Amino acid sequence: MLKEKLRLSAQPIRYTDPGMPEVAAELEALTGPLKGNSIPLSEAEISIGREPSNQISLLDASVSRRHCLIRCEDGQFKIKDLQSRNSTFVNGVPVTERILNSGDEIKVGNSVLVFVLPDEEHTGNVSSSLEFNKADTAAGSTVVLRKQDARYLKEAESIQPTSRTVTDLNALVRISNAVSSVRGLAALEKQILESVFEVAPADRAAILLCDQGVEDYSSVYGLDRAGELIQAVQVSRTIVSQVLTEGVALLCNDLPSTEIFGDSESVIARQIRSVLAVPLEVFDRVLGVIYLDASNPDAHFDEDHLQLLTAIGSIAAAALDNARLMEGLEEENRRLQAEMSVAHNMVGESPRMREVYQFINRVASRDSTVLIFGESGTGKELVARAIHRNSSRAAKPCVAINCAAIADMLLESELFGHEKGAFTGAIAQKKGKLEIAEGGTVFLDEIGELAPLLQAKLLRVLQEREFERVGGTRTIKLDVRLIAATNRDLEDAVKKGIFREDLFYRLNVVSLRMPALREHREDIPLLASYFASKFAQRASRTVLGVSPQARVCLMNYDWPGNIRELENAIERAVVLGSSDLILPEDLPEALLEKAEPLSAATTTFHDALRETKKQLIVNAFEQANGSYTDAARLLGLHPNYLHRLIRNLNMKALLRNAVAE
């Protein structure tokens, strides 16, 4: 039914942008109930879930009733998880909300959907350059119109109903409607100038938008009457300056007859006879000029044109200002999205993790040494690999060495390599990790554990970019980027003389402090869902997600071992659990014992649930005459799971008493 419904009624959503072709978005189902179908995104908001009321209904027990939404906002598609029990995954990472790019894989339960957006050919914003006439207009038939004298900017009652005013007002209504229906600065400027040609006998027209100074133009867009873009827009400096500084509209006719314009090469070549310029004013701020000129001697501008163009400028100004602000916001959004779209294997969308992603984006393209601080298990190595992955060295090796896991004598050989016969057992030449990483990145974990002798050798590598193998005399040049990490306070180690001060400053060029998991608890549900999915796949068993009760336990635990401890806890729950959800009793006992107290309402609920479980187990044991196997059978549980449940509920003494009675 869904397949037929989609094929018969759904029309792909299409959005347009000036200079861009229409684009249709689709979801291609790779796995799940809709496997093989191409699903057009037919509405501004598409819901996905198990219930038939969703636009995309997936008959899958692992899918929540309302699982996620896909909506189109400002030409971009976003996916939002609706607090589903086993999360929404994009490219293998659980997300709460994410902008979709073409080719992204969306995993909802057992369904994998690929978001497809056809390739777009961006023409970009087309603009003109600006040239000032060498001569300025200072004489001739000039009319100046001030804002307070503008006919169509006054109260409606003051406008005299003549045939000209009726025609002008109709034109203003048409232009207002046309301007309000256009998106994008370049398209808006084009629409305004085309409307100007309909009401004024201009041969050329241009819109000049300025930023701060009078001649600091952020946008210049010019057209001729045939609709062709003018590559080099020529304007009078005097007229434009007066319009911008005084906020007045100007009309000047008979230009060749004026002494100062008579020798202007541009005026002679193009035979310009009339110029009209009106301000683009918003909230008493002039943001630019509409500039018109004409060469036809029979097509002079008159005061009615000046009045009408002043009103058009007032209508266009607000639209242009909004379009420019929107483009600025979109550019900022693209910049932020670029910061967030750095390639990494980390999970988390909290503000603290966003700071980490932004740091990676800023430092990856540089070649500076990076020092990462943080407690054990916070993901320091993942950050190091993400920096390498997004750098120009990505095609070269990224070699990691744990300085605390290798004995000092072996670590020197591991880092620098050795020559044949350098020491007992050195039966052949061996390249060190630094040499293997040539052109790439070396990650030194637990750098604070490095012995003093190796600290000195590493300092020379950082200073000279060269080293010798153990037992060798040949100097080897080195081109690597060094990233170091530590869970120790190196400044304190320097004060105690344990760590070299000069090496510390060489390492601490750019530094990052990784947040402990307790500092970004909002990421715990995403991390738990990610680990549950990962280990369920590895264990070849079905785990739909983390139960609300277990999630509360996870959120209220302090996690001294950080993300690594969470990962281990979820792996244990997946391996030992027997239901399709991770339950509190599946979690490590230490976690349940040390978790912070829950709220009063939650505690009451869990206390009642705990007592109910105890009573059911006691009843089963009484019926089974104390047999674990028979009690488990009566309860429909595996005996091993019942043993663990009794231990977690601290019921051994209670059961002994119950059986004895």
Side-chain angles (χ1 to χ4, degrees):
M1 287 295 293
L2 175 63
K3 183 176 179 181
E4 289 299 316
K5 176 183 175 183
L6 289 170
R7 284 183 174 176
L8 292 174
S9 63
Q11 294 297 321
I13 182 168
R14 297 179 182 271
Y15 59 91
T16 59
D17 204 3
M20 293 174 57
E22 286 191 343
V23 180
E26 293 182 333
L27 294 177
E28 293 185 358
L30 298 185
T31 63
L34 298 179
K35 180 179 178 180
N37 287 306
S38 293
I39 306 166
L41 298 182
S42 56
E43 301 177 15
E45 185 172 275
I46 300 288
S47 65
I48 302 175
R50 194 174 69 247
E51 287 185 344
S53 59
N54 292 285
Q55 286 91 338
I56 299 179
S57 178
L58 300 173
L59 301 179
D60 180 353
S62 61
V63 176
S64 299
R65 287 192 292 271
R66 279 177 57 81
H67 201 101
C68 60
L69 287 175
I70 296 179
R71 64 164 63 96
C72 182
E73 295 179 359
D74 299 326
Q76 291 181 311
F77 286 87
K78 291 183 179 179
I79 188 166
K80 181 179 181 181
D81 183 72
L82 299 177
Q83 296 184 338
S84 61
R85 49 181 191 183
N86 61 343
S87 296
T88 301
F89 289 73
V90 176
N91 299 328
V93 176
V95 300
T96 53
E97 189 168 6
R98 177 76 58 89
I99 291 177
L100 294 173
N101 296 310
S102 188
D104 282 348
E105 286 191 0
I106 304 165
K107 185 175 182 293
V108 179
N110 293 316
S111 295
V112 175
L113 310 169
V114 178
F115 177 74
V116 179
L117 203 60
D119 293 336
E120 304 169 34
E121 295 182 2
H122 296 268
T123 60
N125 287 340
V126 181
S127 61
S128 309
S129 61
L130 180 66
E131 294 180 2
F132 289 106
N133 287 327
K134 295 179 181 178
D136 292 322
T137 303
S141 177
T142 302
V143 178
V144 178
L145 178 64
R146 303 189 180 279
K147 184 177 179 180
Q148 58 269 28
D149 299 322
R151 180 188 304 156
Y152 301 114
L153 301 184
K154 297 180 180 179
E155 296 294 331
E157 294 79 6
S158 64
I159 301 175
Q160 298 299 320
T162 65
S163 59
R164 179 62 186 255
T165 58
V166 171
T167 301
D168 288 351
L169 290 173
N170 287 332
L172 290 175
V173 171
R174 290 197 311 274
I175 293 170
S176 180
N177 290 334
V179 166
S180 63
S181 63
V182 177
R183 180 175 177 269
L185 182 60
L188 180 60
E189 290 173 324
K190 186 173 186 292
Q191 179 64 60
I192 292 169
L193 295 185
E194 288 176 347
S195 300
V196 165
F197 285 125
E198 294 177 4
V199 297
D203 293 320
R204 289 159 296 274
I207 294 177
L208 284 60
L209 299 180
C210 57
D211 281 335
Q212 298 175 348
V214 172
E215 296 180 7
D216 185 12
Y217 296 99
S218 61
S219 172
V220 178
Y221 189 94
L223 287 180
D224 60 20
R225 180 167 284 276
E228 296 294 327
L229 181 73
I230 302 175
Q231 297 297 331
V233 174
Q234 293 186 336
V235 299
S236 164
R237 187 190 300 271
T238 303
I239 289 180
V240 170
S241 178
Q242 187 174 355
V243 172
L244 288 174
T245 54
E246 299 180 18
V248 298
L250 290 177
L251 164 63
C252 188
N253 286 316
D254 302 324
L255 295 187
S257 64
T258 64
E259 293 182 5
I260 198 164
F261 243 116
D263 295 330
S264 174
E265 295 179 3
S266 60
V267 169
I268 296 172
R270 293 163 53 202
Q271 298 181 334
I272 298 174
R273 295 183 175 274
S274 302
V275 170
L276 190 153
V278 298
L280 295 165
E281 187 173 355
V282 179
F283 301 120
D284 298 323
R285 174 174 61 89
V286 179
L287 59 91
V289 177
I290 298 180
Y291 187 95
L292 287 67
D293 65 38
S295 302
N296 190 339
D298 299 326
H300 284 194
F301 301 126
D302 57 29
E303 292 189 37
D304 287 325
H305 291 132
L306 189 62
Q307 291 280 358
L308 178 58
L309 265 295
T310 302
I312 292 174
S314 180
I315 293 171
L320 289 167
D321 195 37
N322 289 335
R324 193 162 60 164
L325 289 173
M326 182 61 69
E327 286 202 349
L329 291 173
E330 289 174 350
E331 178 61 31
E332 177 69 8
N333 183 55
R334 283 191 292 271
R335 184 186 67 79
L336 293 174
Q337 288 299 327
E339 288 185 357
M340 294 303 300
S341 65
V342 293
H344 60 80
N345 294 323
M346 289 173 283
V347 175
E349 299 179 2
S350 64
R352 294 298 302 273
M353 289 306 295
R354 290 180 186 274
E355 290 175 6
V356 172
Y357 304 149
Q358 290 169 7
F359 174 86
I360 294 170
N361 184 69
R362 288 196 298 270
V363 305
S365 59
R366 277 65 171 178
D367 230 12
S368 303
T369 302
V370 179
L371 181 58
I372 306 171
F373 297 95
E375 298 177 11
S376 294
T378 52
K380 298 187 289 295
E381 183 170 349
L382 289 177
V383 172
R385 293 192 179 277
I387 292 172
H388 170 77
R389 187 175 173 184
N390 291 276
S391 72
S392 58
R393 299 176 179 267
K396 298 293 184 178
C398 180
V399 179
I401 305 170
N402 190 323
C403 300
I406 306 174
D408 293 344
M409 292 182 64
L410 296 177
L411 183 57
E412 183 177 6
S413 173
E414 194 73 14
L415 278 172
F416 303 105
H418 61 254
E419 298 290 352
K420 181 179 179 180
F423 50 83
T424 303
I427 59 176
Q429 184 193 77
K430 176 188 173 183
K431 289 184 177 181
K433 293 293 182 69
L434 291 175
E435 198 171 347
I436 292 172
E438 175 66 20
T441 303
V442 173
F443 173 59
L444 296 180
D445 199 7
E446 304 301 345
I447 190 74
E449 308 300 325
L450 209 60
L453 177 62
L454 292 179
Q455 290 181 30
K457 288 197 170 187
L458 181 61
L459 178 63
R460 180 169 180 259
V461 170
L462 289 172
Q463 290 176 331
E464 308 298 334
R465 297 292 168 174
E466 61 184 30
F467 68 98
E468 294 91 29
R469 298 191 189 105
V470 177
T473 56
R474 183 171 67 90
T475 299
I476 300 172
K477 294 294 183 180
L478 185 67
D479 174 25
V480 296
R481 180 182 195 171
L482 187 68
I483 302 176
T486 181
N487 60 4
R488 297 183 60 174
D489 185 345
L490 288 189
E491 291 189 28
D492 184 59
V494 168
K495 292 177 183 176
K496 294 178 179 178
I498 302 172
F499 199 83
R500 291 181 65 110
E501 184 177 18
D502 47 4
L503 177 58
F504 171 69
Y505 290 123
R506 279 287 180 180
L507 292 171
N508 195 29
V509 177
V510 181
S511 63
L512 168 70
R513 186 169 296 278
M514 287 295 292
L517 184 54
R518 60 184 173 274
E519 297 173 3
H520 57 112
R521 293 178 185 271
E522 57 268 47
D523 288 326
I524 291 175
L526 291 179
L527 287 161
S529 294
Y530 172 74
F531 292 136
S533 174
K534 171 184 172 181
F535 293 119
Q537 186 176 9
R538 186 177 297 177
S540 299
R541 63 169 296 231
T542 301
V543 177
L544 300 181
V546 182
S547 70
Q549 298 88 346
R551 189 172 294 183
V552 170
C553 293
L554 297 175
M555 291 291 288
N556 284 279
Y557 183 56
D558 209 31
W559 299 109
N562 294 295
I563 298 173
R564 187 179 293 123
E565 184 183 4
L566 173 62
E567 181 178 11
N568 294 338
I570 298 299
E571 182 178 11
R572 176 188 187 276
V574 169
V575 171
L576 298 179
S578 58
S579 67
D580 57 4
L581 285 176
I582 293 176
L583 304 173
E585 49 264 34
D586 299 326
L587 299 172
E589 294 176 22
L591 188 153
L592 297 175
E593 291 171 1
K594 295 181 180 178
E596 296 175 5
L598 309 177
S599 65
T602 307
T603 302
T604 302
F605 171 77
H606 284 289
D607 285 346
L609 189 62
R610 189 182 184 90
E611 291 304 317
T612 302
K613 288 180 180 179
K614 286 183 177 181
Q615 190 58 51
L616 288 171
I617 293 171
V618 169
N619 293 340
F621 262 82
E622 289 176 347
Q623 295 178 45
N625 296 319
S627 170
Y628 271 86
T629 303
D630 292 342
R633 179 177 50 79
L634 289 171
L635 291 169
L637 300 175
H638 192 281
N640 290 344
Y641 179 71
L642 180 58
H643 274 284
R644 187 154 46 86
L645 188 57
I646 290 169
R647 187 171 63 251
N648 289 342
L649 294 173
N650 196 23
M651 291 183 62
K652 288 185 178 180
L654 179 64
L655 289 176
R656 280 197 299 269
N657 295 335
V659 172
E661 293 175 359

